Amino acid sequence: MLWKYGRSDLVRQLQLDETFDPSEFKSDGRGNTPPEQLADDLEAMGPTYVKLGQLLSSRSDLLPEAYLKALTRLQDDVKPFSYEEVEQIILAELGVRVSKAFARFDVKPIAAASLGQVHFAELRNGRAVIVKVQRPGIRKQIAEDFEVLGQIADFLDAHTEIGRRYRFGKVLEEFRSTIQHEMNYEREARNLVQLRQNLHEFRHIWVPEPVPDYCTRAVLTMDYVHGNKITKLSPLGRMDLDGNTLAEELFEAYLKQIMVDGMFHADPHPGNVFVTDDARIALLDLGMVGHLMPSMQEHLLKLLIAVGENQSEKAADIVIEMSQTTERFNQADFRRRIAQLMASQQNQSLQRLNAGKSLMEMSRSAIDCGLYVPTELTLLGKTLLQLDAVGKILDPAFDPFASIRENAGDLLKQRFRRHITPGNFFAMMLELKNFLGGLPTKLNRVLSTLTDADFEIKVRAVDAKTVVEGFQKIANRITAGIILASLILGAALLMQIKTSFTILGYPGLAMLCFIAAAAGSVWLLFNIFVQDEKIRKRRPK
């Protein structure tokens, strides 16, 4: 079995055998199925491979469903390291002994993960906290493991069709970047602060606050969550919760993170989501965070709306637009697959609807048909896949697509408000100034060219004067439209300024701009209709 080889032997074996077949995954004689055996072997190979298994457990675009389920258990506790090592790391990082820094520090960890473990503690002021301590020697071990994984990925990309299709080298680089960020606990503390600020308006969502003086690259101290993992809630405990409200607000909070803030918690698997004693949702483990550019946010929002509305053609267009095509791209096959995916989704019951799974299957179809999809799409699919699982625990009847449809309008408003800032407004005004300043020169060049004797144009029954007049009318209408748009933008910004002069309860100057823009728009439309009617009547019948 492939994973039973030593690390260097594994690379040599892959180099000798270019025809490796996944069917080599057979029972090990202990009754384990192949997926369970893969999870066992990854756990035995060390923290890097455990973390790799955790990431793969949510990548339905890379592995079949059976393997995803088997790898899910790697998100649970792993073997902890000794308390003596914990004391040494805290002393080295904080510069003080545990007994000096904390009034209480439990020897037994609450949980142990692949990169570190968590202990309950109390500060000198009585504040209950948890302290996450990084595993000793983990950085060196991960660096060595990545050297081996890099050789394997390079070989697969160069010698196998599946490697060329999925580009394992790039996937590995993304994994390396992710795990390096997770090992920097100072970065995680900053993420906690930022997410608390971004989600302050959601009263049912809570993000623990870090303790800055007790945070370093290898030690993270933050508020203790008084509650339980969402997976450990009893059926009776769920009855006491307003599951629909919690699921809806959690999904709405993630849509805001993704589509408005551009920064989102990218690892909301059920082990990182707690229900507090006061019936709120607590989000933990901010080591893995996604960042989105404004253009990518717009693409993803349009894609989610298209998927929610079962618009297969539009969804396919968006994925093609945001992806990189290859020479083997089969557009017809890709569109057919997306249409089939949309049709199967439409026939599913409410309990089986899954936004994340739809995006992951769409990514897999795109890769199979010769598209290189952006990493943001697979990361969003993975996040929504995990979020769907949490939502179904809170409310089995929760419909993620209904939430997307209901919140799409509000998301667009928030995006608009965020981008209409004084800085953006002045930038638009400068661009408008440059455009209007250069417009006469450009029009003069066009008109001079048209009236130049060296310029020939063949137009039946139309002389040069008529053509010039037509261009002038077009230029006048464009200029009028730009001025009206400027009045509307100016009025929108002036609405934020409170003045003593008001009209109908609104700032007076802003309302005057709106009235002027409305009157100008009516005049412009009337003028257009009148001119078009005159032209229509002059046409020979």
Side-chain angles (χ1 to χ4, degrees), residues 271-324:
N272 286 338
V273 179
F274 275 56
V275 176
T276 64
D277 292 342
D278 58 352
R280 290 188 293 171
I281 297 293
L283 300 177
L284 307 180
D285 196 354
L286 268 289
M288 190 185 301
V289 170
H291 294 276
L292 297 171
M293 297 293 289
S295 59
M296 183 58 64
Q297 288 177 287
E298 292 178 5
H299 281 309
L300 294 175
L301 179 56
K302 289 189 291 186
L303 180 59
L304 283 174
I305 294 173
V307 173
E309 296 290 341
N310 277 290
Q311 298 175 340
S312 61
E313 282 293 326
K314 189 173 182 180
D317 289 338
I318 296 169
V319 174
I320 294 172
E321 182 181 353
M322 66 195 297
S323 302
Q324 178 185 350

Side-chain angles (χ1 to χ4, degrees), residues 9 101 114 121 188 275 296 300 329 364 398 415:
D9 294 335
S114 55
E188 183 173 350
V275 176
M296 183 58 64
L300 294 175
F329 174 49
R364 177 182 287 179
F398 177 68
R415 283 181 56 79

Side-chain angles (χ1 to χ4, degrees), residues 152-404:
I152 297 172
D154 291 342
F155 174 82
L156 292 174
D157 288 351
H159 296 89
T160 66
E161 175 61 26
I162 192 173
R164 286 186 286 271
R165 180 182 301 174
Y166 287 92
R167 298 194 295 181
F168 291 122
K170 185 176 180 180
V171 173
L172 184 64
E173 278 305 310
E174 295 167 7
F175 173 47
R176 188 201 301 267
S177 175
T178 297
I179 202 170
Q180 285 175 345
H181 289 166
E182 285 199 65
M183 287 192 298
N184 186 349
Y185 290 170
E186 287 178 322
R187 183 187 183 94
E188 183 173 350
R190 292 193 296 270
N191 292 339
L192 286 167
V193 173
Q194 185 64 53
L195 194 66
R196 278 178 60 88
Q197 179 180 339
N198 292 346
L199 301 183
H200 72 278
E201 64 196 78
F202 296 95
R203 62 189 185 90
H204 291 105
I205 308 295
W206 184 74
V207 180
E209 184 178 3
V211 184
D213 293 339
Y214 286 72
C215 295
T216 68
R217 286 179 62 86
V219 174
L220 172 65
T221 306
M222 61 182 178
D223 289 327
Y224 174 73
V225 179
H226 295 275
N228 293 293
K229 284 185 181 180
I230 196 168
T231 52
K232 294 185 177 179
L233 282 177
S234 64
L236 189 60
R238 294 180 193 175
M239 291 178 63
D240 294 333
L241 297 175
D242 185 355
N244 180 264
T245 299
L246 291 178
E248 176 63 35
E249 188 161 316
L250 179 63
F251 206 82
E252 184 181 346
Y254 268 85
L255 289 176
K256 179 182 181 293
Q257 292 176 59
I258 295 165
M259 304 306 173
V260 180
D261 301 328
M263 167 193 161
F264 62 98
H265 181 208
D267 195 23
H269 68 76
N272 286 338
V273 179
F274 275 56
V275 176
T276 64
D277 292 342
D278 58 352
R280 290 188 293 171
I281 297 293
L283 300 177
L284 307 180
D285 196 354
L286 268 289
M288 190 185 301
V289 170
H291 294 276
L292 297 171
M293 297 293 289
S295 59
M296 183 58 64
Q297 288 177 287
E298 292 178 5
H299 281 309
L300 294 175
L301 179 56
K302 289 189 291 186
L303 180 59
L304 283 174
I305 294 173
V307 173
E309 296 290 341
N310 277 290
Q311 298 175 340
S312 61
E313 282 293 326
K314 189 173 182 180
D317 289 338
I318 296 169
V319 174
I320 294 172
E321 182 181 353
M322 66 195 297
S323 302
Q324 178 185 350
T325 59
T326 66
E327 65 281 356
R328 62 182 183 83
F329 174 49
N330 188 334
Q331 184 170 163
D333 185 33
F334 175 64
R335 291 185 180 277
R336 179 183 58 80
R337 292 191 182 200
I338 298 301
Q340 290 177 345
L341 176 62
M342 298 289 105
S344 63
Q345 174 184 289
Q346 195 170 15
N347 295 329
Q348 286 180 351
S349 64
L350 191 63
Q351 285 74 17
R352 297 183 61 190
L353 284 176
N354 192 308
K357 187 176 181 180
S358 297
L359 291 185
M360 297 300 278
E361 290 180 356
M362 197 173 291
S363 297
R364 177 182 287 179
S365 297
I367 293 171
D368 290 341
C369 294
L371 282 175
Y372 287 149
V373 296
T375 57
E376 291 87 350
L377 179 58
T378 55
L379 184 60
L380 175 62
K382 179 192 82 71
T383 302
L384 292 180
L385 189 69
Q386 295 173 329
L387 196 61
D388 283 329
V390 175
K392 289 296 189 290
I393 293 174
L394 292 170
D395 180 12
F398 177 68
D399 181 2
F401 292 117
S403 180
I404 292 170

